[in-house]
Amino acid sequence: MAVDGGNMAQAVIDTAYNERKRLHTGRSRTVAVVLFGLLIALGFFLALVVGKADPNTPPTCDGKTMTRHSECRIWSSRGGGGTYSYDEMIDRRESGNGVWRVVGFGGAGVAAVLMVVSIAKLNPNRPWGQPVGAACPRCRELNLREKHTVHSVTRGRTTHRYSGIVTLCTPACGFSAIRQR
Ligand SMILES: [Zn+2]
């Protein structure tokens, strides 16, 4: 496919503009906090509701509540079949619940760490990119900052990635440039 180099360079610059805007309005951070907040809630739900420790409720066998003296026969083609007593069925249930607690609390912990990292990284007061030690050719001020930026275009199953180091001046000046690494 023929690629129009000029248009793609402008597309990468536009991507950088959009990233800077989302960073400074705090939108990126809001999205990250909501997303990780939902994952933390899901983790707690799995750990505390799905994986709730419940050693006193009678176990069920094939959907029927067991009594103290009943047995449960489980057929399984994957192993783990057999005949289980009331207490053994409670143990089976509790070990299954334990797995959900590990998954739930583990997932919530990872999401919490990622949330803290993204709050710091996506701080709206944090400037976009790295400072450039040269004056802007348009406004002559030392306001230039640069960042490696990727613009992805998906056509069907193929994703094309165009990237470059984008240099931006302040929005008031509007100067932009792109170069390859
Ligand atoms: Zn400038």
Side-chain angles (χ1 to χ4, degrees):
M1 181 186 355
V3 172
D4 183 330
N7 278 349
M8 276 310 146
Q10 190 55 48
V12 177
I13 289 172
D14 289 345
T15 300
Y17 270 123
N18 288 332
E19 280 181 13
R20 184 172 73 176
K21 197 167 140 205
R22 281 203 304 273
L23 176 70
H24 286 171
T25 57
R27 216 188 136 193
S28 294
R29 185 162 72 168
T30 305
V31 169
V33 167
V34 168
L35 186 73
F36 290 124
L38 288 173
L39 287 175
I40 290 169
L42 176 67
F44 275 99
F45 176 79
L46 290 177
L48 299 175
V49 178
V50 179
K52 186 171 182 281
D54 188 15
N56 297 318
T57 304
T60 57
C61 179
D62 200 18
K64 292 190 199 76
T65 303
M66 290 178 73
T67 60
R68 269 271 156 213
H69 302 291
S70 60
E71 285 189 324
C72 188
R73 173 160 270 189
I74 294 173
W75 280 272
S76 173
S77 54
R78 292 177 301 159
T83 303
Y84 295 91
S85 69
Y86 182 94
D87 287 330
E88 285 170 335
M89 287 304 284
I90 288 183
D91 288 345
R92 275 173 71 94
R93 186 183 67 199
E94 292 307 299
S95 74
N97 290 351
V99 171
W100 283 115
R101 285 199 293 279
V102 170
V103 169
F105 284 131
V110 170
V113 169
L114 292 176
M115 186 194 253
V116 169
V117 169
S118 60
I119 286 171
K121 271 199 92 169
L122 300 175
N123 182 348
N125 298 322
R126 214 179 115 136
W128 173 90
Q130 300 297 319
V132 176
C136 171
R138 190 175 294 172
C139 67
R140 310 282 166 205
E141 301 285 338
L142 279 166
N143 288 332
L144 294 180
R145 300 186 70 89
E146 65 180 18
K147 187 169 185 286
H148 181 248
T149 303
V150 179
H151 175 69
S152 305
V153 180
T154 303
R155 288 193 188 89
R157 287 197 199 165
T158 316
T159 298
H160 300 271
R161 290 160 62 85
Y162 306 94
S163 68
I165 297 170
V166 176
T167 306
L168 299 179
C169 193
T170 57
C173 166
F175 173 81
S176 66
I178 184 168
R179 69 178 195 277
Q180 294 305 311
R181 207 189 266 281

